[in-house]
Amino acid sequence: MAVSSCPCPKYVAALSSSFECRSDPSGTGQPGHHGRSSSSSSSSRLGAASFLGSGLGTGGCGGGMSSMIFRFPPNFVRQLSVKARRNCSNIGVAQIVAASWTNNQPAGSTPAAAAAAANAAAAASASASSLPVAEFGDEVAVVDGVNDNGNVQFGELTTDPRDVKSFLSSDGSISIHAGERLGRGIVTDAITTPVVNTSAYFFKKTAELIDFKEKRRQSFEYGRYGNPTTVVLEEKISALEGAESTVIMASGMCASTVMFMALVPAGGHLVTTTDCYRRTRIFIDTVLPKMGISATVIDPADIGALEAALDQNKVSLFFSESPTNPFLRCVDIERVSELCHRKGAIVCIDGTFATCVNQKALALGADLVLHSATKYIAGHNDVLAGCISGSMKLVSEIRNLHHVMGGALNPNAAYMIIRGMKTLNLRVQQHNSTALRMAKILEAHPKVKRVYYPGLPSHPEHHIAKQQMTGFAGVVSFEIDGDLMTTIKFVDALKIPYIAPSFGGCESIVDQPAIMSYWDLSRAEREEKYKIRDNLVRFSFGLEDFDDLKADVLQALETI
């Protein structure tokens, strides 16, 4: 808490009784503005002169900063959980204070109660090793349980994030409460999840460390291996996906590459699809072969090609986006999973375009679902992250390699994604509605040659999309009836969307893939290998008013 000067008496009187300051110009404990006796003020100061220092300023009510005396709530010390302080020692003091105290002492409590609380806290620390332990996924934290005044609603974490569905039935409620309402690794009264900014966690005694190493004790150890804030995000995503476990990483590409290396052995084989995020394809084509890993590339809807690849190779992994980028092709997840499982192959679906609200890949039979959480999950064009959800066994294999490779998500980014997910369900509904209505308008427009959107009957996998999706998300790809320059003219005439990569945020974004993602290739190469034509536009419809977006797109089309 930064204070520049002592507030005036009127302001002091307006402060809450649970946190007070007063002027003591002499610094000797004599009565100040509140008229307290010397003995009373002395005990409430808690060594304010030494805490604040004598050279922090001389302005204010004539006494300088050293005369500012703070009286914390009587139960302040007791409210600081022993284990919260141990495992989260680097949280900012302001965050701990905001998260941990509740002044519910009886009226008339004296400052002496604070000293008694301090003694109680010291006694509690002596028996800390006997406190209950909770596990979440394969990352764990020590949790105190409900403290003695009942301020913490839940003192234990669920062992399975899917348990949240026992009392929450909709994705809207789950995205708000999962990982938080049922308890978390930081014992706190705060509604929002605190940010734990620490790179390491300490052990009080070597015996505790040995118990941890020999798996008799569970705790965090190092920031790359887990963080209480990040774990809340993982639990929230697991609940939405119906997964046993989720691992979160620094970006979607980080999640993809670590997943490939963890699950496909050296000399192994994988199957993927033609339409794909280009950086993922580059990794499959150029990096995996150095490990002896080969790949078969098939059309997303070509079941016969998949069967042939499974028969001719020992396939370790099938990986595809669904819908794909940028043509929004859809894989029949249930059918593909059935075929792959017969041959012992793992199925991983990148559901970034679909979102975990519109499509439940695990429920359809996939083993893993991957997201670039940068997009719809975070939803505000302000953070990078990637995640993989699935069984504890498979996610643990990926997590183990992730701990070696690095790519840990910053806890501040995790907090931003947790906050963004509170509105995930509402945002996705708006994206779905706007994109479907705009896709129909674009398809009917004479200056648009073709529209790619799984919600349209004209889409080649519309029948599959209807079966496995509840909505078709917010990205619409379409081809302008014209050449490269005509398409550039259309894009430049748009006033609302930003010309940028990425999608899934509140702001609309538009790009021309031939320029944004494939400009380094010749026109013939990008059309022959990737089917990317000069007139292709990818439009991510944001949360702006539909009528505004409609008017903007129509006026831009009129310019060409």
Side-chain angles (χ1 to χ4, degrees):
M1 179 175 182
V3 183
S4 59
S5 64
C6 182
C8 66
K10 290 182 179 179
Y11 181 72
V12 171
L15 291 174
S16 167
S17 61
S18 65
F19 184 72
E20 302 181 43
C21 66
R22 63 181 179 84
S23 177
D24 185 5
S26 67
T28 61
Q30 296 304 314
H33 290 298
H34 295 284
R36 292 190 182 86
S37 67
S38 175
S39 60
S40 173
S41 62
S42 176
S43 63
S44 66
R45 282 164 53 196
L46 299 177
S50 61
F51 176 71
L52 294 172
S54 60
L56 297 180
T58 57
C61 303
M65 279 302 297
S66 63
S67 66
M68 179 73 76
I69 297 173
F70 294 87
R71 183 170 72 83
F72 292 99
N75 64 337
F76 170 68
V77 176
R78 180 161 56 82
Q79 287 290 340
L80 290 180
S81 160
V82 175
K83 282 302 195 309
R85 287 187 287 111
R86 195 202 70 166
N87 279 342
C88 314
S89 57
N90 284 3
I91 304 178
V93 171
Q95 288 178 299
I96 296 180
V97 172
S100 300
W101 92 42
T102 301
N103 185 21
N104 60 359
Q105 291 295 312
S109 293
T110 65
N119 294 333
S125 65
S127 59
S129 60
S130 65
L131 293 170
V133 175
E135 179 177 351
F136 36 94
D138 48 11
E139 296 293 352
V140 291
V142 179
V143 182
D144 273 356
V146 180
N147 59 20
D148 59 359
N149 65 355
N151 285 328
V152 179
Q153 291 174 308
F154 298 92
E156 297 182 359
L157 296 169
T158 59
T159 56
D160 188 338
R162 293 171 295 181
D163 288 348
V164 72
K165 293 189 176 181
S166 64
F167 68 97
L168 298 176
S169 60
S170 71
D171 285 341
S173 299
I174 291 171
S175 62
I176 293 171
H177 292 296
E180 299 179 278
R181 184 67 177 174
L182 290 181
R184 51 194 165 211
I186 311 168
V187 176
T188 171
D189 288 342
I191 292 175
T192 56
T193 295
V195 181
V196 181
N197 281 316
T198 186
S199 59
Y201 307 83
F202 70 88
F203 297 84
K204 289 195 303 179
K205 298 179 181 178
T206 302
E208 284 187 357
L209 175 58
I210 293 173
D211 284 345
F212 169 73
K213 291 296 183 180
E214 296 186 357
K215 302 187 185 304
R216 293 190 297 269
R217 180 182 185 84
Q218 298 169 321
S219 179
F220 290 100
E221 177 187 10
Y222 185 58
R224 195 171 77 246
Y225 307 148
N227 175 282
T229 308
T230 303
V231 166
V232 168
L233 174 58
E234 291 176 340
E235 294 292 309
K236 194 177 288 291
I237 295 171
S238 289
L240 281 170
E241 291 288 5
E244 290 179 351
S245 184
T246 292
V247 58
I248 192 86
M249 302 186 200
S251 70
M253 272 306 299
C254 181
S256 298
T257 55
V258 172
M259 184 271 299
F260 285 132
M261 291 188 289
L263 300 182
V264 184
H269 193 86
L270 66 88
V271 177
T272 189
T273 51
T274 51
D275 197 27
C276 180
Y277 176 54
R278 191 182 174 204
R279 298 300 176 186
T280 306
R281 177 58 50 77
I282 288 173
F283 185 82
I284 292 172
D285 291 344
T286 63
V287 179
L288 290 183
K290 296 178 182 179
M291 306 174 195
I293 297 173
S294 56
T296 297
V297 182
I298 64 172
D299 184 272
D302 194 342
I303 295 297
L306 173 60
E307 290 176 318
L310 290 169
D311 289 338
Q312 297 167 13
N313 305 277
K314 184 174 176 53
V315 177
S316 300
L317 175 72
F318 173 88
F319 173 79
S320 177
E321 300 162 5
S322 186
T324 60
N325 182 21
F327 294 111
L328 306 169
R329 301 288 303 279
C330 295
V331 171
D332 187 339
I333 300 173
E334 188 171 8
R335 178 68 173 143
V336 165
S337 299
E338 179 186 357
L339 292 173
C340 289
H341 291 161
R342 288 178 188 174
K343 297 290 185 175
I346 297 168
V347 175
C348 179
I349 298 296
D350 184 333
T352 301
F353 277 84
T355 79
C356 46
V357 173
N358 285 328
Q359 179 175 277
K360 307 293 187 185
L362 300 181
L364 292 166
D367 301 291
L368 296 167
V369 58
L370 182 148
H371 292 276
S372 171
T374 304
K375 312 304 193 293
Y376 290 106
I377 290 178
H380 290 78
N381 289 323
D382 59 1
V383 65
L384 295 175
C387 61
I388 304 172
S389 304
S391 69
M392 185 69 71
K393 179 180 181 298
L394 289 176
V395 173
S396 294
E397 291 183 40
I398 299 167
R399 193 189 300 273
N400 289 339
L401 181 59
H402 165 55
H403 289 171
V404 174
M405 299 293 291
L409 185 70
N410 185 285
N412 294 281
Y415 170 83
M416 293 173 70
I417 300 171
I418 291 168
R419 181 176 62 177
M421 289 185 70
K422 306 287 187 177
T423 58
L424 175 62
N425 193 60
L426 293 173
R427 288 188 285 105
V428 169
Q429 290 180 35
Q430 181 70 11
H431 288 303
N432 291 344
S433 173
T434 297
L436 179 58
R437 295 168 71 185
M438 285 305 308
K440 293 177 179 178
I441 291 170
L442 288 165
E443 189 172 48
H445 201 283
K447 294 183 180 180
V448 176
K449 191 173 183 179
R450 185 173 180 180
V451 178
Y452 303 91
Y453 188 69
L456 295 176
S458 58
H459 190 277
E461 284 84 50
H462 176 63
H463 62 291
I464 295 174
K466 284 197 305 181
Q467 292 175 356
Q468 62 190 30
M469 300 178 73
T470 57
F472 309 106
V475 175
V476 179
S477 295
F478 53 96
E479 293 174 355
I480 295 295
D481 190 8
D483 58 11
L484 180 71
M485 295 309 299
T486 303
T487 308
I488 289 174
K489 187 176 181 181
F490 163 74
V491 170
D492 288 349
L494 292 165
K495 298 176 181 179
I496 292 177
Y498 292 94
I499 301 174
S502 197
F503 59 91
C506 298
E507 300 86 359
S508 290
I509 284 178
V510 67
D511 77 84
Q512 211 168 332
I515 299 175
M516 183 65 72
S517 303
Y518 295 88
W519 193 243
D520 59 313
L521 302 180
S522 67
R523 177 181 176 184
E525 187 176 3
R526 64 176 175 258
E527 286 191 2
E528 179 180 351
K529 186 174 182 179
Y530 298 103
K531 311 301 182 187
I532 303 295
R533 299 178 178 83
D534 289 344
N535 61 345
L536 180 66
V537 175
R538 191 183 73 172
F539 202 125
S540 172
F541 289 99
L543 302 183
E544 300 92 351
D545 183 79
F546 169 77
D547 289 331
D548 288 339
L549 287 168
K550 175 184 175 182
D552 191 32
V553 170
L554 291 179
Q555 69 81 23
L557 287 171
E558 290 303 313
T559 66
I560 61 176

